[in-house]
Amino acid sequence: MLRLDNELRPYAWGSTTAIAELLGRAPSGGPEAELWLGAHPDSPSRVPGGEGLDEVIAGDPAHFLGAESVAAFGPRLPFLMKVLAAAEPLSLQVHPSLEQAREGFAREEAAGVPRDAAWRNYKDDNHKPEMILALTPFRALCGFRPVEQSVALFEALAAGASDDDARDHAAGIVAALRGAEPLRTAFAALLTGGDGLAAATSSLRAVVDGLPVDDAHRTALEAAADLQDKYPGDPGVLVSLLLHLVELAPGDAIHLPAGNVHAYLEGLGIEVMANSDNVLRGGLTPKHVDVPELLATVDFTPLSEVPRTPREETLLGQEVFTPPFREFALQRIELQEGTEHLAVRQDGGTVLLVVRGALRLDSPQGELILQRGESAFIPASEDPVTAHPAVRTGSIATDGDGDVLAFAVSTGLGVSNAL
């Protein structure tokens, strides 16, 4: 088992306190958006001695990942785990399918586009299905609403706007939604702006203020008005009215397949994804937006509701979140008073993070003590591993009385609903 040192990403939308509070340390003083735990080559976790986890795994993939994982995903860790803390909305974005990622990456490589270029779309050749498990109340935009719901929202915007340009713009989107390929047409029209976009976005706050408190459209329009306050005139402000607004309670999880348009708005969560950093953006960002590539990547199928991630409960009360992806499944390990130990779910290499209490990991090859905020990589060959509550006094660790919470990620190959 290898103790990990993980990189913190200080994106501007990150919370200044949430990750520090979760991990029991002092804040850095700046935004702390994402803590990366894994072996992505852009920000690999480091093992004792400073070597990147990606390099360690590359030295003996079968030992660290297991034969089944190597056969399915190649000689690399197939997932990336993050602690994500959004104080401000993230960009409106979509992730490519595996075929799209491979083709796009090869195309940009052949064209000589530098991998760190701001205008590059494909950083690697992998897809990026993902899930988010809320640790606090969490809000997100995720997936297209049924078309008639979006029609009603743009009709409410047109009816409440006092500016002719705003009304005409909203009415134009209504017409697009009632035509052929409604979501594709409306989405493309919003991304390309056009006459009336600025007026329509600027009118949102006044439209919301004019609605009754119990109006059925108020919540979605108010969320759009909040986005307008942060990103004035951005096309993503009105694109939000095409998308589901999701409110997650702590312990809820959703999963997002390739092609799903989404934006996390606020909250703290454990995010897990295939081992990729491919992001195509559509708004709510000053970063590069490639509308033609985005339109070729988006899945325009409307969702009646956003899919919640199934969870399986083991005999000892553990929860395993099992999205329909082969690359990963997430285990929630909680050791309460009276619980002596629990088995760590291992299906290939495993990344584990402790967020409350202290944990002793015990395997046939030895043991490792992790305090709150510490993490480890468990090789596939080091099986089985059990988790025990621990108390450290100086250099001596003894078993404790529970009150431990940790999260562990391994592959989803052994999950029945994995695709």
Side-chain angles (χ1 to χ4, degrees):
M1 292 179 285
L2 300 170
R3 192 181 303 275
L4 298 179
D5 183 19
N6 309 298
E7 183 170 321
L8 187 66
R9 293 285 182 105
Y11 304 134
W13 49 261
S15 168
T16 58
T17 58
I19 292 179
E21 290 174 355
L22 177 71
L23 303 183
R25 60 163 175 76
S28 64
E32 299 178 356
E34 295 178 351
L35 182 71
W36 287 33
L37 300 94
H40 193 282
D42 282 357
S43 297
S45 299
R46 301 284 170 182
V47 304
E51 191 175 10
L53 183 59
D54 56 335
E55 298 172 313
V56 172
I57 290 172
D60 192 349
H63 169 77
F64 289 104
L65 303 177
E68 188 177 5
S69 180
V70 172
F73 310 113
R76 62 182 177 187
L77 189 67
F79 59 82
L80 175 62
M81 179 183 183
K82 298 180 183 179
V83 182
L84 181 146
E88 301 285 344
L90 281 67
S91 60
L92 194 70
Q93 60 189 261
V94 68
H95 307 305
S97 67
L98 185 57
E99 182 181 2
Q100 290 166 335
R102 287 172 174 170
E103 189 279 328
F105 180 77
R107 175 170 19 101
E108 293 187 334
E109 288 287 281
V113 180
R115 293 193 185 181
D116 60 353
W119 62 91
R120 180 153 184 153
N121 291 318
Y122 297 95
K123 302 294 182 67
D124 52 63
D125 63 354
N126 202 12
H127 63 166
K128 193 183 173 186
E130 64 185 51
M131 66 165 282
I132 185 80
L133 169 64
L135 300 182
T136 65
F138 198 98
R139 301 175 81 233
L141 298 167
C142 182
F144 289 106
R145 297 172 179 268
V147 172
E148 285 306 313
Q149 291 184 15
S150 291
V151 167
L153 288 168
F154 279 96
E155 286 181 333
L157 177 57
S162 59
D163 182 276
D164 288 344
D165 287 342
R167 284 195 298 268
D168 290 346
H169 189 272
I173 301 302
V174 170
L177 289 167
R178 287 181 169 155
E181 297 188 290
L183 289 171
R184 175 185 289 274
T185 305
F187 186 73
L190 289 168
L191 289 182
T192 52
D195 294 340
L197 174 65
T201 55
S202 296
S203 70
L204 278 162
R205 184 62 64 190
V207 171
V208 170
D209 291 343
L211 292 174
V213 174
D214 59 350
D215 188 277
H217 306 121
R218 185 182 181 94
T219 300
L221 289 168
E222 189 165 32
D226 290 342
L227 291 174
Q228 165 66 8
D229 292 342
K230 297 178 175 66
Y231 296 96
D234 190 289
V237 171
L238 294 185
V239 170
S240 72
L241 300 180
L242 300 177
L243 306 175
H244 287 280
L245 178 62
V246 184
E247 308 264 357
L248 300 178
D252 291 341
I254 56 175
H255 55 272
L256 296 74
N260 181 294
V261 180
H262 60 280
Y264 297 146
L265 301 180
E266 61 179 335
L268 175 69
I270 300 292
E271 186 183 27
V272 193
M273 63 206 67
N275 194 5
S276 172
D277 196 29
N278 283 328
V279 179
L280 291 158
R281 296 176 176 86
L284 309 181
T285 179
K287 295 182 179 180
H288 175 63
V289 174
D290 184 337
V291 173
E293 192 70 23
L294 186 70
L295 292 175
T297 307
V298 171
D299 182 352
F300 289 100
T301 306
L303 303 175
S304 58
E305 59 183 4
V306 175
R308 301 293 175 117
T309 304
R311 66 183 82 187
E312 300 175 358
E313 189 168 309
T314 69
L315 293 176
L316 294 176
Q318 303 170 75
E319 290 183 327
V320 180
F321 293 83
T322 57
F325 312 130
R326 302 170 72 232
E327 284 84 359
F328 58 86
L330 172 66
Q331 179 184 5
R332 183 180 186 274
I333 300 172
E334 185 169 17
L335 296 164
Q336 299 177 336
E337 186 174 354
T339 305
E340 295 182 359
H341 67 272
L342 290 173
V344 177
R345 181 186 180 278
Q346 295 170 263
D347 198 344
T350 303
V351 173
L352 184 146
L353 170 69
V354 178
V355 300
R356 187 174 72 227
L359 197 65
R360 176 171 66 86
L361 298 176
D362 186 25
S363 84
Q365 283 74 45
E367 68 173 32
L368 181 66
I369 304 294
L370 297 177
Q371 303 287 343
R372 179 185 180 189
E374 296 182 334
S375 58
F377 177 76
I378 305 172
S381 60
E382 204 157 344
D383 184 12
V385 171
T386 54
H388 308 255
V391 175
R392 182 186 289 277
T393 304
S395 61
I396 300 174
T398 58
D399 284 354
D401 59 358
D403 196 25
V404 176
L405 180 61
F407 296 94
V409 182
S410 56
T411 77
L413 290 172
V415 176
S416 60
N417 68 335
L419 297 178

